[in-house]
């Protein structure tokens, strides 16, 4: 691994793409919608930036290539439906076109999974107006929360690959509409957990990561957010416990870039984290840096893929695959 000099901020990590600023802001909006426990629980959170994907692939429709790139969202109903249907059919089921959906972020896992939809200012209201037509009814005593059947029960007759409001076995959804986002949950517990305050943005890890991606110039296509508790489950421990971490897939003018960022309160600990071994498959193309953000230090590793590819980020796929196999030393936390 080739070390780089410490930086104040992280602007040198990515090349500018002349993108609109709000393409970056969607990640911060997702952090603000997620609870602080996203950096505490053993289950990672997924963020998929539809606006960035539309800029990368130069289309407002959600294409199969975009679905292939957005691999973090493949277990989220909204991404599954977008990949399998056309824009008009999606609008009929949701009240909004795919182009009006800026991002989606997933929190937790079934049977307690929440999916947060973020879009333009009118998106929550448009979705809420459509819910009664789709069989949703208000939850007693909660003017902003709706349900379309008994929660947690299989309903094979309701199974529909074109309907994002039912689970894989036809399970019902609980939906809460807020002024800035729409929360879809598979259980009351999942909705309660996802809407707790403070938010992930208000944590030291969230604030530091928001600066890393906001300062950079690449399109942030997708991000896996995880906690030190999750890091304890991923192979033999190599790094000191961090405040929170992110594995990000970005697109620059030269091609895809993968960033791994671990947030620490102490820059010496962040430096120790950079010594963790990476799988041999990643070769010598790794760069490491300490990004001095506020209020935390970030241990950042960058893997560039300078081939101009759009449809795939092979380094990100390899890193995420190793994480799924519980064999990824760069985020594996040392035992206490």
């Amino acid at each position: 691994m080739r070390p780089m000099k410490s930086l104040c901020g992280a602007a040198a990590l990515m090349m500018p793409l002349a993108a609109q600023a709000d393409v970056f802001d969607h990640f911060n909006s997702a952090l603000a919608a997620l609870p602080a426990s996203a950096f505490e629980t053993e289950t990672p959170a997924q963020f998929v930036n539809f606006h960035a994907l539309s800029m990368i692939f130069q289309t407002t429709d959600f294409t199969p290539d975009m679905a292939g790139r957005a691999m973090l969202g493949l277990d989220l109903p909204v991404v599954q439906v977008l990949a399998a249907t056309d824009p008009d059919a999606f609008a009929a089921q949701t009240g909004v076109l795919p182009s009006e959906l800026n991002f989606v972020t997933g929190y937790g896992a079934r049977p307690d999974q929440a999916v947060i939809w973020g879009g333009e200012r009118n998106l929550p209201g448009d979705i809420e107006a459509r819910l009664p037509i789709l069989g949703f009814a208000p939850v007693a005593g909660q003017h902003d929360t709706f349900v379309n059947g008994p929660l947690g029960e299989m309903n094979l007759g309701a199974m529909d690959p074109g309907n994002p409001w039912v689970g894989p076995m036809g399970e019902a959804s609980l939906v809460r509409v807020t002024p800035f986002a729409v929360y879809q949950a598979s259980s009351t517990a999942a909705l309660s957990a996802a809407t707790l305050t403070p938010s992930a943005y208000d944590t030291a890890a969230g604030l530091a990561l928001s600066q890393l991606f906001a300062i950079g110039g690449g399109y942030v296509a997708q991000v896996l957010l995880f906690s030190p508790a999750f890091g304890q489950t991923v192979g033999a421990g190599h790094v000191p416990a961090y405040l929170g971490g992110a594995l990000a897939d970005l697109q620059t003018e030269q091609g895809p870039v993968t960033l791994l960022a671990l947030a620490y309160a102490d820059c010496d600990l962040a430096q120790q984290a950079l010594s963790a071994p990476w799988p041999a498959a990643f070769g010598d193309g790794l760069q490491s840096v300490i990004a001095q953000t506020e209020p935390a230090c970030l241990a950042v590793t960058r893997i560039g893929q300078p081939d101009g590819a759009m449809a795939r980020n092979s380094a990100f796929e390899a890193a995420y695959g190793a994480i799924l196999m519980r064999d990824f030393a760069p985020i594996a936390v040392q035992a206490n």
Side-chain angles (χ1 to χ4, degrees):
M1 183 181 296
R2 179 163 58 89
M4 298 173 65
K5 293 181 180 180
S6 296
L7 303 177
C8 181
L13 292 178
M14 292 168 282
M15 298 297 292
L17 261 187
Q20 298 175 2
D22 56 359
V23 177
F24 308 116
D25 292 344
H26 300 328
F27 176 69
N28 294 347
S29 296
L31 285 174
L34 285 165
S37 53
F39 293 120
E40 299 169 0
T41 63
E42 285 193 9
T43 303
Q46 309 102 317
F47 165 78
V48 177
N49 191 341
F50 294 122
H51 189 179
L53 289 169
S54 71
M55 300 291 283
I56 293 168
F57 289 93
Q58 294 295 296
T59 177
T60 57
D61 294 334
F62 196 81
T63 65
D65 280 345
M66 291 167 68
R69 179 80 182 253
M71 60 187 303
L72 290 185
L74 293 182
D75 65 341
L76 304 179
V78 61
V79 180
Q80 294 169 355
V81 171
L82 279 168
T85 191
D86 61 73
D88 291 338
F90 182 80
Q93 289 286 4
T94 64
V96 296
L97 289 165
S99 58
E100 297 175 89
L101 190 61
N102 288 337
F103 71 87
V104 64
T105 183
Y107 177 76
R110 285 189 174 274
D112 297 311
Q113 181 186 56
V115 180
I116 305 168
W117 303 42
E120 303 304 320
R121 290 185 177 181
N122 62 324
L123 179 133
D126 288 347
I127 288 179
E128 182 176 8
R130 191 69 178 168
L131 292 178
I133 302 171
L134 301 173
F136 281 85
V139 174
Q142 300 183 49
H143 71 280
D144 59 354
T145 307
F146 308 84
V147 69
N148 62 346
L151 294 172
E153 296 183 9
M154 290 191 302
N155 181 358
L156 301 184
M159 291 174 60
D160 181 356
N163 185 355
W165 304 115
V166 298
M169 301 301 292
E171 303 96 327
S173 288
L174 192 63
V175 174
R176 177 168 296 170
V177 180
T178 75
F180 307 105
V182 174
Y183 290 77
Q184 174 188 5
S186 56
S187 68
T188 302
L191 181 63
S192 297
T195 53
L196 285 175
T197 55
S199 72
Y201 184 87
D202 295 319
T203 65
L207 286 170
L209 291 169
S210 73
Q211 294 172 71
L212 174 69
F213 297 126
I215 292 171
Y219 293 122
V220 183
Q222 56 186 334
V223 182
L224 184 75
L225 296 169
F226 53 88
S227 71
F230 176 72
Q232 291 177 334
T233 72
V234 186
H238 287 273
V239 303
Y242 36 82
L243 302 173
L247 177 71
D249 168 20
L250 301 96
Q251 185 73 30
T252 72
E253 290 177 332
Q254 288 71 38
V257 166
T258 301
L259 285 186
L260 174 65
L262 304 177
Y264 288 92
D266 184 286
C267 288
D268 290 336
L269 291 177
Q271 188 68 54
Q272 291 179 39
L274 293 178
S275 64
W278 278 71
F282 288 89
D284 298 325
L286 306 177
Q287 296 175 309
S288 63
V289 64
I290 298 298
Q292 296 175 329
T293 61
E294 292 293 338
C297 264
L298 293 172
V300 181
T301 300
R302 179 189 190 276
I303 309 103
Q305 184 179 318
D307 58 5
M310 295 289 184
R312 294 185 61 186
N313 182 341
S314 58
F316 181 86
E317 292 177 9
Y320 182 53
I323 289 173
L324 292 180
M325 296 298 293
R326 297 296 194 266
D327 185 21
F328 195 60
I331 70 169
V333 173
Q334 298 169 353
N336 292 330

